[in-house]
Amino acid sequence: MTSTSSPPAEMTVLSPHDGTPVGTLPCAGEEEVRGAIATARAAAPDWARTSPEERGRLVRAAADALAQHAEEVAALNTRETGKLAHEALGGVLAGVGTLHQYAELGPVHRGHALRGGALASDYTVAEPRGVVAAITPWNDPVAVAAGLLGAALVTGNTVVHKPSERCPHTGARLGEILAAALPDGVLVTVTGGPETGRLLTDQADLDVLAHVGSTETGRAIARAALDTGAHVIRENGGNDPLVVDDDVDPAWAAEQAAIGAFTNAGQICTSVERIYVHRAVAEPFLHALAAEARQRNREAALAPLVDRRMRDAVHGHVRAALQDGATALEGGEVPEGAGSFYPATVLRDCTDAMQVMTEETFGPVAPVRVVDSFAEGLHLASRDRYGLAATVLTGRIAHAQRAIAELPAGTVKVNNVFGGAPGGAAQPRRDSGAGFGYGPELLDEMTQVKVVHVEMPSSR
Ligand code: NAD
């Protein structure tokens, strides 16, 4: 068991816009956590026996209920995490879409068959694992939670969901809306911070620990599961590189870099976290990237960071880089005033050992390192402990193919920082996690396979 300290009685969320209190909710202690698991466990047999079609129908109804409350939930998210209103609404609608997708996929989640002889067959049936603990982050709280919850529920598991302490009202409301459309006890929400999370993951009576969040937490959860035997799904942090080749339009590359580094103020797991640009296009690229950042800062287009703790961490990376010889072409200073705003920041002359290059910064920061060849860019992009995603911008098919073959990441994107089909899945590598946290493959993670072997009785 991992060590636990008791949760505080309650938590108060402060607005990232102006620091005023948004609201206070209780933090679940041992008794509440055990009670939530017992409720989900008691509901598990009936839910597992419910036909996949009926489970799909109920999850679809839950998705429709969420769609009806989309603006309310999005507004809560904006108040708690600072996410821009249209992006928060986009996140809720993405969650609705994901729930609908799983409602359709659940009933057609199929197995394999093998014939060992004329009258002997082997086939697989997918069974629910039991009770799933879903532990989710704040940066896209509804879309991320909807994926884990949808996949777990349509495959016949019951769920205890613990949303992030940075958006507990959003998580609690999401739980109320979805649970009202489902049988009692099938989805239970507990609110609280890391201490409540630890209490949850230490309980032996859980079958799956599904975590989306930081690498450090993911590791702690994986260690807890060694003791309890729970199946672990981890979608964790990233330090995604962007490699810019010498044959691309530097203004377009800068636009891509800005979208990758500054969207949601850089608080996306697959944000562009470090940039390797070919020397041949470096100056116009840097010029255009600084202009992209300046425009965002002038128009106050960026959301605030989620809180001051996050801002201190982001600025710590920037300050250390500046002390070690980087130059800020734009941003890089903590603004005056209330809330936790941080400007879009472009750093040039970054070197490989700087924390801003080696660690996930999770803020609107674009650190740039100039390279002498595409190969050097790929080499440096590959030298990292994370393996979530990577992007290359190139017009050369040979370079694209080389990047696809060599980059040690779960997703490699060519010529679009945020490309990717809806419903797509990816397998994070190394410190970025384990297992499939999205897509149809998440249905496999949420189930256990039973092999059935059938033959004719012998007649003598
Ligand atoms: P976090 O790990 O701090 O928190 C996520 C959840 O884990 C919260 O509910 C939190 O209370 C809980 N938690 C924290 N410590 C715990 C512990 N010891 N035991 C059990 N639960 C615990 O992450 P965060 O700051 O909320 O989210 C940001 C991170 O999430 C970034 O690193 C980002 O890259 C990552 N992320 C990854 C993906 C992905 O798909 N790979 C998606 C979104 C966010």
Side-chain angles (χ1 to χ4, degrees):
M1 298 275 159
T2 55
S3 66
T4 55
S5 55
S6 299
E10 56 185 32
M11 61 198 156
T12 297
V13 181
L14 301 181
S15 160
H17 292 105
D18 56 18
T20 58
V22 173
T24 298
L25 277 178
C27 297
E30 177 116 30
E31 204 178 312
E32 289 87 354
V33 165
R34 283 180 188 270
I37 297 173
T39 301
R41 178 65 67 193
D46 276 354
W47 185 240
R49 274 194 297 269
T50 303
S51 76
E53 195 181 4
E54 175 65 2
R55 288 198 300 252
R57 190 187 69 74
L58 289 165
V59 168
R60 199 173 305 117
D64 292 342
L66 179 59
Q68 279 172 11
H69 293 89
E71 297 203 347
E72 175 204 341
V73 176
L76 262 181
N77 184 13
T78 296
R79 285 180 66 205
E80 290 194 296
T81 71
K83 205 175 180 69
L84 296 176
H86 71 277
E87 289 179 11
L89 185 59
V92 177
L93 296 178
V96 171
T98 303
L99 288 167
H100 276 144
Q101 203 168 43
Y102 282 127
E104 298 299 319
L105 287 171
V108 294
H109 182 222
R110 57 183 58 138
H112 302 284
L114 256 183
R115 204 153 128 165
L119 293 173
S121 57
D122 288 14
Y123 63 91
T124 61
V125 283
E127 297 182 341
R129 288 183 182 272
V131 181
V132 174
I135 301 173
T136 56
W138 51 269
N139 64 322
D140 200 358
V142 179
V144 167
L148 293 180
L149 270 44
L153 291 169
V154 292
T155 47
N157 301 280
T158 56
V159 178
V160 178
H161 177 213
K162 197 205 79 63
S164 168
E165 61 279 12
R166 281 161 155 159
C167 56
H169 297 86
T170 310
R173 187 71 187 113
L174 172 71
E176 272 171 17
I177 294 165
L178 298 180
L182 298 165
D184 281 352
V186 162
L187 171 62
V188 187
T189 304
V190 291
T191 54
E195 300 85 0
T196 299
R198 272 196 295 272
L199 274 177
L200 185 59
T201 55
D202 277 356
Q203 302 302 315
D205 197 20
L206 285 168
D207 302 288
V208 179
L209 302 181
H211 172 248
V212 181
S214 69
T215 295
E216 192 191 0
T217 305
R219 281 220 194 91
I221 287 175
R223 280 195 296 270
L226 283 178
D227 284 331
T228 66
H231 177 67
V232 178
I233 305 162
R234 289 191 295 124
E235 295 288 323
N236 294 154
N239 187 29
D240 290 7
L242 171 71
V243 183
V244 180
D245 208 352
D246 65 355
D247 67 336
V248 299
D249 173 1
W252 168 71
E255 202 181 298
Q256 284 287 308
I259 292 168
F262 304 144
T263 303
N264 202 28
Q267 302 166 116
I268 299 177
C269 55
T270 52
S271 286
V272 166
E273 289 274 339
R274 51 198 170 112
I275 298 169
Y276 302 99
V277 59
H278 196 291
R279 191 174 298 283
V281 290
E283 288 309 321
F285 170 81
L286 281 162
H287 183 77
L289 182 55
E292 291 275 349
R294 200 167 304 119
Q295 186 189 355
R296 284 165 171 78
N297 292 339
R298 206 181 295 128
E299 293 172 3
L302 254 55
L305 296 179
V306 67
D307 57 21
R308 291 221 166 171
R309 180 160 61 94
M310 176 59 71
R311 184 168 79 174
D312 288 348
V314 169
H315 189 58
H317 282 196
V318 170
R319 204 177 37 226
L322 294 173
Q323 273 162 7
D324 288 346
T327 306
L329 294 180
E330 174 64 22
E333 283 176 8
V334 175
E336 301 276 317
S340 45
F341 289 91
Y342 197 78
T345 296
V346 177
L347 300 178
R348 68 173 301 162
D349 305 325
C350 291
T351 54
D352 300 329
M354 289 176 177
Q355 219 179 6
V356 77
M357 299 296 274
T358 60
E359 285 301 323
E360 183 182 46
T361 301
F362 225 56
V365 182
V368 182
R369 154 87 152 90
V370 175
V371 292
D372 288 312
S373 64
F374 187 75
E376 187 190 8
L378 277 192
H379 171 71
L380 293 173
S382 305
R383 272 195 344 193
D384 195 52
R385 69 185 181 97
Y386 297 93
L388 196 58
T391 306
V392 296
L393 304 180
T394 181
R396 294 194 181 87
I397 187 75
H399 282 184
Q401 292 290 23
R402 193 169 163 191
I404 293 163
E406 290 181 11
L407 286 169
T411 303
V412 174
K413 294 167 278 185
V414 179
N415 294 332
N416 190 345
V417 280
F418 286 145
Q427 216 173 12
R429 298 187 184 183
R430 305 192 283 189
D431 280 357
S432 290
F436 282 97
Y438 304 91
E441 289 81 354
L442 184 52
L443 299 174
D444 298 332
E445 296 278 354
M446 292 291 182
T447 49
Q448 50 196 346
V449 169
K450 181 174 281 170
V451 174
V452 182
H453 174 77
V454 185
E455 286 195 31
M456 293 289 281
S458 94
S459 53
R460 296 207 175 135

